[in-house]
Amino acid sequence: MAKVTLQHVDKVYPGNVKAVADFNLDIADGEFVVLVGPSGCGKSTTLRMVAGLEEISAGSIAIGDRVVNDIPPKDRDIAMVFQNYALYPHMTVYDNMAFGLKLRKFSRQEIDQRIREAARILGLEQLLERRPKALSGGQRQRVAVGRAIVRKPAVFLFDEPLSNLDAKLRVQMRVEISQLHDQLAATMLYVTHDQIEAMTMGDRIVVMKDGLVHQVADPLTLYDDPADMFVAGFIGTPPMNFANGQVSGTGEHMMFLAEGGVKLPVPPAMRASLAAYLGRPVTLGIRPEDIGSLRAEQDASLPRLKAKVDVVEPMGSEAYVHLSAGPARFTARTDPHQQFRVGTEVELPVFISKARFFDTATEQRIR
């Protein structure tokens, strides 16, 4: 295995279209790093530049101690798993997995040993003589992963490998790829637009938008300590609630005020930072689970959010309650047995100490 280093990498297409700008990242040997962001953010382009399928416009990419800018894909010691599996339909599972090894002139014995080992890890032993059309989507994806494993590359690259699978299979394959990483102790770079995949699989996550890196951190840090409003809103399901307003008062009397009657005290830890924002636009961010939970209901000291119930979504283990307070919209994640009636006014407790505040103009987190 090997580390991967990207330094000041740019990708500019004709017409001065910048797909990736000043991308910097150090991936440790054996680390699982996920690139996540909306469609068109540059994550797949970055992965393809590491693979050598896209030329870089500036900067450098190193795999191990070797700069690979001018090295063709076949000589980079990487293996890539694609979204569409890319299996040969006329070949058996065994031959699909063997194909790359045959091109590299491995012996029959070595090829067979590697395929049997990969098949055991992925549960494909009974499928080796089948052709792709006789396999389910999940089985085809396992074969694509197995074809990468037999190469024993320095780095595994995954380009949205689960996007063609149904919801149940995606969950299963998430677990299997994570287990595979633990077994192989492999360096993996994984691209997805699904923040749940990113949060459940990555040692670290790179959040991208419009070709720029917004934050690189472990999943819990991204969730609890987002760098800006984009990261705060992108990571988490349902997403973080935002309300625009301003801060007034000082000390214990400092309050966040927004249209629609939203009036919440500023937590003590934020008073010094927000003193510089008195009378200036700020944005409050609060997670759905920090509004109206049963645990919050048991704490009489918590401030209350006055709002109207617009929609209630029962989810089985929990319920999402959509609220409005003037122009501000909130979602509360509550116990499914709590009773809420659409159209009624409610006052829900808020864990205000969990709130985050952002500069409305720059969208950067106020520390």
Side-chain angles (χ1 to χ4, degrees):
M1 303 305 161
K3 64 181 181 180
V4 179
T5 304
L6 295 91
Q7 294 184 325
H8 305 293
V9 172
D10 288 353
K11 178 60 181 181
V12 182
Y13 289 109
N16 200 31
V17 177
K18 184 163 282 191
V20 177
D22 196 28
F23 189 101
N24 294 277
L25 182 65
D26 291 313
I27 304 172
D29 187 2
E31 190 176 19
F32 195 134
V33 172
V34 180
L35 305 181
V36 68
S39 297
C41 72
K43 56 189 184 294
S44 289
T45 300
T46 301
L47 189 81
R48 290 171 64 82
M49 286 192 289
V50 174
L53 302 176
E54 293 274 3
E55 292 184 2
I56 67 174
S57 303
S60 68
I61 298 175
I63 298 176
D65 296 322
R66 183 177 61 154
V67 175
V68 297
N69 290 17
D70 301 317
I71 295 176
K74 66 183 181 63
D75 298 324
R76 293 194 180 196
D77 199 12
I78 56 97
M80 193 161 179
V81 179
F82 295 93
Q83 175 180 346
N84 61 357
Y85 319 135
L87 301 178
Y88 296 106
H90 63 288
M91 292 184 181
T92 64
V93 168
Y94 187 101
D95 289 335
N96 264 284
M97 294 171 67
F99 186 74
L101 300 180
K102 290 177 179 178
L103 290 179
R104 288 166 176 78
K105 308 299 184 183
F106 281 81
S107 69
R108 284 187 179 181
Q109 181 179 356
E110 176 72 5
I111 291 172
D112 189 70
Q113 179 183 337
R114 291 194 181 197
I115 290 175
R116 301 291 173 185
E117 180 183 1
R120 177 185 57 78
I121 292 172
L122 295 168
L124 296 172
E125 294 102 322
Q126 307 304 316
L127 306 177
L128 291 176
E129 297 308 316
R130 294 190 188 179
R131 287 182 168 78
K133 67 179 180 180
L135 304 177
S136 69
Q139 290 169 336
R140 291 178 192 178
Q141 193 56 272
R142 284 197 195 93
V143 175
V145 173
R147 186 175 54 191
I149 290 175
V150 297
R151 295 266 310 280
K152 297 186 178 179
V155 180
F156 288 86
L157 305 176
F158 294 85
D159 189 7
E160 304 209 37
L162 309 185
S163 59
N164 287 339
L165 304 180
D166 62 39
K168 184 177 179 180
L169 268 178
R170 282 202 301 272
V171 173
Q172 181 182 335
M173 286 300 299
R174 281 204 316 256
V175 173
E176 291 183 3
I177 292 175
S178 295
Q179 290 175 332
L180 179 65
H181 173 252
D182 292 338
Q183 290 178 47
L184 300 179
T187 305
M188 293 184 173
L189 184 57
Y190 187 105
V191 162
T192 181
H193 64 274
D194 186 334
Q195 54 97 5
I196 294 178
E197 278 182 37
M199 292 289 284
T200 56
M201 297 174 74
D203 297 326
R204 283 190 302 153
I205 301 170
V206 181
V207 184
M208 298 182 67
K209 180 187 178 186
D210 298 332
L212 298 172
V213 173
H214 279 239
Q215 190 171 1
V216 182
D218 64 88
L220 196 57
T221 298
L222 283 180
Y223 193 81
D224 289 338
D225 194 21
D228 56 34
M229 287 179 62
F230 173 72
V231 176
F234 191 82
I235 299 296
T237 304
M240 179 178 277
N241 297 295
F242 295 112
N244 294 328
Q246 62 180 15
V247 175
S248 68
T250 58
E252 295 180 0
H253 303 289
M254 185 177 286
M255 305 291 291
F256 171 80
L257 307 174
E259 291 183 39
V262 175
K263 184 178 181 181
L264 294 168
V266 171
M270 288 301 302
R271 289 171 188 164
S273 298
L274 287 174
Y277 282 83
L278 290 176
R280 294 168 53 190
V282 297
T283 299
L284 167 78
I286 188 82
R287 295 283 182 195
E289 61 267 28
D290 296 324
I291 302 175
S293 68
L294 281 178
R295 185 165 62 93
E297 290 285 2
Q298 296 165 2
D299 189 343
S301 67
L302 292 175
R304 300 258 163 174
L305 173 69
K306 297 180 181 180
K308 185 182 76 170
V309 177
D310 293 328
V311 177
V312 179
E313 292 184 299
M315 305 296 289
S317 61
E318 58 192 7
Y320 300 157
V321 182
H322 299 274
L323 309 156
S324 59
R329 297 289 184 270
F330 297 90
T331 299
R333 175 186 278 164
T334 67
D335 185 276
H337 302 294
Q338 288 177 266
Q339 298 298 313
F340 293 94
R341 291 177 56 193
V342 172
T344 59
E345 299 285 338
V346 294
E347 293 187 15
L348 298 182
V350 178
F351 282 114
I352 195 63
S353 62
K354 300 289 188 68
R356 301 292 181 258
F357 291 87
F358 303 87
D359 184 313
T360 304
T362 66
E363 299 192 352
Q364 295 299 304
R365 167 99 175 270
I366 300 171
R367 304 287 177 173

